[in-house]
Amino acid sequence: AMQAPAPRRIQEHLVNTMLDTTPIMDVVLPPELTPPQEPVEGFGIGQFYVLSDGTTGVLALGSFSGAGFNEMIQGLYDGLLELKSRGAERLIVDVTNNGGGYICVAHALHRLISGPKSTTIPNAGLNTTARAGRLAQTIVQTIVDSPGTVDPRNVLLYNPINWYDADTNAAFDASDNWLVPPVEKIINGREDAFSQTLGTDCPEADIFATPPPDSALFEGSQVAIISNGRCASSCSLFSIAMAKTEGSKTVVVGGKSDTPQKYCGIVGGQSTDFSTIDSEIKTTGLKEHELAPPDLIVNGVQGITWRLGYGIDDPSEPEEWQDRPADVNLPLTLDLANNPAKLWDIVAQLI
């Protein structure tokens, strides 16, 4: 039986984001292309509008981590409630160029829109698995063998108390090496090892300062998600969950007309980087382990997909490998380029 776990790490909010070398630019639309509607609510990278039909609300969300964690969740909550109060019965979520961000914000947005149901509680996202090679197993065992010593603040990714067993939805005990035994797989002819299936990492009590609504704000069939294909990581987690479990429609703008377009890109499950993993290795005193990598001495960032989300259509394989065709592919025309208001009106009429 699992013992009561030590307090979970909740001060570090996990992310799943696309590593992009494109320079960050501020783009201000000219007045003639700025949405004519006054924003309903907003918190920087999230803006809300009601279209001229009076029944279609819009959430334009540029990132899942462009603001503070608590600020984002409360801002999404307040904005969606305001859309409803102004008569919105349908919702467009525009995630153009959204490269991801906080995993639990993606789960929270799904929960806010869809209400409490089997697809949102206890886990509004995907079950996941982590890489479980021999060095990773040794890191976990070192933490387990020295409780409260190696990781006194419970902040290491490999600390067992930070993860939930998918079968029981209970956190692992501090004495559990959750990577043993590993799940052996052959991928592209190469032996690899993964953890057992992990469940929710976003319990409602941890992510909502204000209790979430006790019913759906919008029916899934009345939600449309727009992107230009550059929706990745946590953006993918949200879009996949809404499309495949709630029946939301997906729209992609642009792409070759003779090629079926996918409504999102890289899925992942949780991203990290070399320096984070190297810190875990050094903190557990394993830098001299035969599998430990040398220091990264270049001025660069090496991104790592540390967890993979399992699929919805086929829960035995990562969602990364599964199909995600868009319901509608709109050609990118001159009158739609950088013209979100025109695009939202077209989508509201089509779907």
Side-chain angles (χ1 to χ4, degrees):
M2 287 192 177
Q3 302 172 14
R8 292 189 69 237
R9 170 175 57 86
I10 61 174
Q11 71 272 29
E12 298 288 340
H13 297 291
L14 304 177
V15 298
N16 189 32
T17 187
M18 178 173 61
L19 186 62
D20 195 348
T21 58
T22 304
I24 297 175
M25 296 179 292
D26 289 327
V27 177
V28 178
L29 295 174
E32 63 269 20
L33 295 182
T34 301
Q37 303 85 359
E38 287 295 322
V40 172
E41 290 282 350
F43 52 96
I45 46 78
Q47 296 294 326
F48 296 86
Y49 303 89
V50 176
L51 299 187
S52 57
D53 62 15
T55 61
T56 304
V58 176
L59 162 59
L61 189 62
S63 170
F64 280 88
S65 60
F69 180 85
N70 294 327
E71 178 187 357
M72 282 206 70
I73 291 182
Q74 193 62 49
L76 290 169
Y77 196 173
D78 293 342
L80 292 172
L81 286 177
E82 184 64 21
L83 290 181
K84 291 290 290 184
S85 73
R86 298 198 184 193
E89 299 173 0
R90 309 184 299 168
L91 179 67
I92 291 173
V93 184
D94 190 335
V95 288
T96 299
N97 290 330
N98 187 317
Y102 295 123
I103 296 169
C104 292
V105 171
H107 295 351
L109 181 56
H110 179 189
R111 166 65 177 86
L112 288 170
I113 292 172
S114 302
K117 54 196 300 190
S118 61
T119 54
T120 60
I121 294 176
N123 191 12
L126 308 179
N127 287 337
T128 60
T129 183
R131 298 291 292 276
R134 188 155 56 90
L135 176 57
Q137 295 175 37
T138 305
I139 293 173
V140 176
Q141 194 59 51
T142 302
I143 297 170
V144 167
D145 290 343
S146 305
T149 303
V150 172
D151 186 20
R153 294 177 53 239
N154 301 319
V155 297
L156 293 184
L157 282 177
Y158 287 101
N159 194 317
I161 70 169
N162 290 324
W163 304 106
Y164 279 79
D165 183 331
D167 292 331
T168 64
N169 285 310
F172 293 111
D173 187 74
S175 62
D176 290 328
N177 188 329
W178 57 284
L179 298 185
V180 177
V183 179
E184 306 286 351
K185 292 183 179 291
I186 303 294
I187 300 176
N188 294 329
R190 182 175 180 271
E191 293 183 358
D192 212 333
F194 293 84
S195 72
Q196 60 188 288
T197 303
L198 305 175
T200 180
D201 46 9
C202 300
E204 284 194 3
D206 286 358
I207 63 176
F208 286 106
T210 303
D214 56 11
S215 61
L217 295 179
F218 296 92
E219 292 298 323
S221 62
Q222 299 300 306
V223 177
I225 301 171
I226 301 175
S227 83
N228 58 349
R230 285 178 56 82
C231 162
S233 302
S234 287
C235 183
S236 295
L237 296 178
F238 165 74
S239 301
I240 290 165
M242 291 299 299
K244 293 191 175 185
T245 68
E246 310 299 344
S248 300
K249 299 297 187 291
T250 55
V251 180
V252 170
V253 182
K256 296 178 65 177
S257 60
D258 59 349
T259 302
Q261 299 298 313
K262 312 302 180 184
Y263 58 80
C264 63
I266 294 170
V267 180
Q270 180 191 339
S271 57
T272 185
D273 52 35
F274 181 95
S275 61
T276 298
I277 298 301
D278 192 50
S279 177
E280 302 250 335
I281 294 170
K282 291 175 178 176
T283 301
T284 50
L286 294 170
K287 190 62 178 178
E288 300 306 315
H289 190 282
E290 61 180 329
L291 295 178
D295 288 339
L296 184 66
I297 58 175
V298 300
N299 182 19
V301 177
Q302 181 178 358
I304 297 171
T305 298
W306 191 72
R307 280 191 294 155
L308 286 175
Y310 279 118
I312 292 174
D313 294 336
D314 181 358
S316 68
E317 289 193 346
E319 178 64 44
E320 199 77 64
W321 306 347
Q322 300 182 35
D323 199 19
R324 297 175 293 279
D327 293 305
V328 177
N329 183 203
L330 291 175
L332 180 60
T333 56
L334 282 176
D335 61 334
L336 285 185
N338 295 325
N339 193 344
K342 178 71 175 291
L343 172 61
W344 300 336
D345 282 336
I346 290 176
V347 171
Q349 295 169 24
L350 280 177
I351 299 180

